[in-house]
Amino acid sequence: MDRIVVVGGGLAGGRTVVELREQGFSGAITLVGAEEHRPYDRPPLSKAVLSGRTDDTTLPFDLDGVELLLGRHATGLRPGVLETDGGPIEFDGLVLATGAAPVRLPGSADQRVLRTIDDARALRETLRPGARLVVVGAGWIGAEVATHAAAHEVAVTVVEAGASPLLALGPVVGGHTVPWYAAAGIDLRLGAAVAQIRSDGVELAGGEFLPADAVVVGVGVRPDVSWLESSGLQLDRGVVVDEWMSAVPGADAGGAGGYRPGSVVGAGDCTAWWSRRYERRMRVEHWECAQESPRVAVATLLRTLAGGQPSSESPDDIYNPVPYFWSQQFGRMIQFAGLPGPDSTLVLRGDPTAVAPPGAKKAPGWSAGWFAPDGRLVALATVARPLDMVAGRRMLLADAAPDVAKFSDLDIALKEL
Ligand code: FAD
């Protein structure tokens, strides 16, 4: 009987187990997870656990019959054997799903991050009314933590090294979120470099000291793959996998490095996958990648274990998404899909500076599209306009080239273009 070992007990690891059963694997499955928790969902940590709206985000995966090794760390890998801090585990097939870990800044060990449910519960205890919080980084996590804290009477300062928040969306779109901070009573410091994080606050490069009861660092994540350094697999800020999510042996490993091609696959945040759509390697630390990529990884693994080729030209067997992400901040739902290029032109749809009309609770939403020189829509950001995103994602998948004048007209539904 074949044994498949899944390393990493997050969304991608849990989804992998579900896919293994749904795709007909009846052999033994072992799930090795460093956290003591069963797979749980991370987006609600900043959106609902911090506020106390929920305390449990466990995912409803059926793990019956799965050997669960929780609180167990994978420490190394060689062909057919996973090394862990509880001893070696042999496998016929292996799924790498160890996710990503937050980047920490030099300085005090007291700096906090928000990645795990334990981080969220501990932070919730600190963010009491009257507390002082400094958030380093006005990216997705920083903005969501600041949103929560400001709404709970915490005095919040956000320190961002760049010229605007949400730099992933570029300075124009990110810049339109600046007033949201002031409206929430947050002191936003743009272009501010951190010199040192201390246990009692943050020292800025210019010498100013920002006292704090808690410092949360939200400056991005790095795929959690350092434990694979001597595995012979190729690493490049993530486990290098091909379009079938099959791990690629390193050049110095010689041949397949002893690994049967297709017998080690990756899924979720820990992977750097080859995109046929964009003809480049992608690293997308987003929920949807962890949700969807296990289907392809498992199909590849099961094809291989059945004696077939890891590669397959069926479009269903290739992981080829348009990346998608959402965030909730300052009472707004932001969604983003696609990949802007350096030569893209930004077109706004609606007025980001518009205020709520009399009698209305909220300002109308707005969107922003990035257009390639040949007229194709290549990326879309929406603020409180979910229907734009539904239609826009279809356009992105279809490589559509909507009329720009009509795109910018809020009175014309995107689905009509
Ligand atoms: P992870 O969820 O990181 O799971 C990996 C697991 O592997 C972890 O439990 C880790 O402890 C374990 N592990 C690591 N190393 C080892 C090892 N050596 N041995 C054994 N186990 C190991 N995405 C969105 O698209 N929208 C959102 O709104 C959004 N909000 C978010 C809010 C927060 C607070 C956070 C933290 C993330 C958010 N994300 C969001 C990102 C999304 O949650 C991740 O992309 C997703 O969780 C990735 O799943 P994963 O299984 O690949 O990795």
Side-chain angles (χ1 to χ4, degrees):
M1 184 174 68
D2 282 335
R3 165 175 297 280
I4 292 180
V5 175
V6 181
V7 201
L11 174 62
R15 281 276 302 123
T16 295
V17 171
V18 172
E19 284 291 338
L20 281 167
R21 292 302 187 217
E22 281 183 0
Q23 294 188 36
F25 179 68
S26 56
I29 304 174
T30 300
L31 180 66
V32 179
E35 292 183 70
E36 295 287 352
H37 309 286
R38 290 164 77 95
Y40 62 88
D41 215 12
R42 293 183 203 275
L45 300 183
S46 45
K47 300 166 185 75
V49 174
L50 278 188
S51 65
R53 254 196 301 133
T54 183
D55 194 46
D56 182 4
T57 68
T58 306
L59 289 158
F61 294 144
D62 181 358
L63 302 179
D64 266 8
V66 174
E67 181 187 25
L68 281 183
L69 301 178
L70 300 179
R72 180 83 71 92
H73 292 75
T75 53
L77 177 66
R78 54 197 159 88
V81 182
L82 178 75
E83 303 287 355
T84 79
D85 54 6
I89 304 173
E90 293 188 2
F91 63 82
D92 301 292
L94 182 74
V95 184
L96 303 168
T98 48
V103 173
R104 289 168 193 269
L105 294 177
S108 166
D110 290 340
Q111 62 186 275
R112 290 160 184 263
V113 292
L114 178 55
R115 183 74 191 175
T116 67
I117 192 150
D118 299 324
D119 294 337
R121 288 174 179 156
L123 191 55
R124 185 175 65 201
E125 293 312 308
T126 309
L127 298 183
R128 300 282 182 207
R132 296 161 307 171
L133 169 71
V134 174
V135 178
V136 180
W140 304 110
I141 298 288
E144 291 195 358
V145 170
T147 297
H148 161 77
H152 289 79
E153 295 168 49
V154 173
V156 185
T157 305
V158 175
V159 177
E160 165 59 50
S164 80
L166 303 186
L167 274 178
L169 301 185
V172 174
V173 174
H176 283 300
T177 74
V178 170
W180 303 354
Y181 288 76
I186 293 171
D187 180 7
L188 172 65
R189 309 289 187 93
L190 294 173
V194 169
Q196 197 192 356
I197 295 186
R198 297 188 353 202
S199 58
D200 56 348
V202 172
E203 196 180 306
L204 299 181
E208 186 182 358
F209 180 67
L210 304 172
D213 300 303
V215 178
V216 174
V217 173
V219 294
V221 293
R222 291 277 175 281
D224 217 338
V225 293
S226 56
W227 64 279
L228 287 168
E229 257 154 30
S230 52
S231 65
L233 295 180
Q234 204 175 316
L235 304 179
D236 180 7
R237 288 178 292 132
V239 187
V240 172
V241 295
D242 58 23
E243 55 265 64
W244 300 280
M245 304 307 281
S246 174
V248 177
D252 53 358
Y259 295 96
R260 183 176 163 201
S263 66
V264 178
V265 295
D269 277 11
C270 72
T271 57
W273 40 276
W274 182 256
S275 164
R276 280 205 184 175
R277 181 182 306 279
Y278 300 112
E279 296 182 333
R280 53 169 275 189
R281 198 158 289 296
M282 302 282 284
R283 295 166 191 83
V284 178
E285 291 101 12
H286 298 170
W287 186 93
E288 197 171 78
C289 174
Q291 168 77 8
E292 299 297 334
S293 59
R295 184 186 58 74
V296 173
V298 164
T300 301
L301 186 54
L302 296 186
R303 251 193 333 273
T304 305
L305 292 184
Q309 288 297 319
S311 60
S312 147
E313 283 310 311
S314 163
D316 273 357
D317 290 335
I318 293 169
Y319 188 57
N320 199 20
V322 171
Y324 168 76
F325 180 87
W326 82 94
S327 169
Q328 281 164 291
Q329 43 189 273
F330 306 107
R332 295 158 175 96
M333 168 73 132
I334 304 186
Q335 294 167 284
F336 179 67
L339 186 69
D343 52 359
S344 308
T345 304
L346 182 70
V347 178
L348 288 177
R349 178 172 156 79
D351 178 5
T353 63
V355 292
K361 273 195 185 151
K362 291 191 174 172
W366 52 278
S367 300
W370 284 259
F371 288 79
D374 62 6
R376 280 175 308 118
L377 180 71
V378 291
L380 179 72
T382 62
V383 177
R385 292 194 64 85
L387 293 183
D388 276 5
M389 184 49 71
V390 172
R393 286 182 83 180
R394 269 195 224 114
M395 287 180 185
L396 292 167
L397 274 170
D399 269 335
D403 183 281
V404 170
K406 289 183 180 163
F407 173 89
S408 59
D409 185 345
L410 258 198
D411 290 332
I412 303 176
L414 279 194
K415 68 175 185 190
E416 307 298 340
L417 300 189

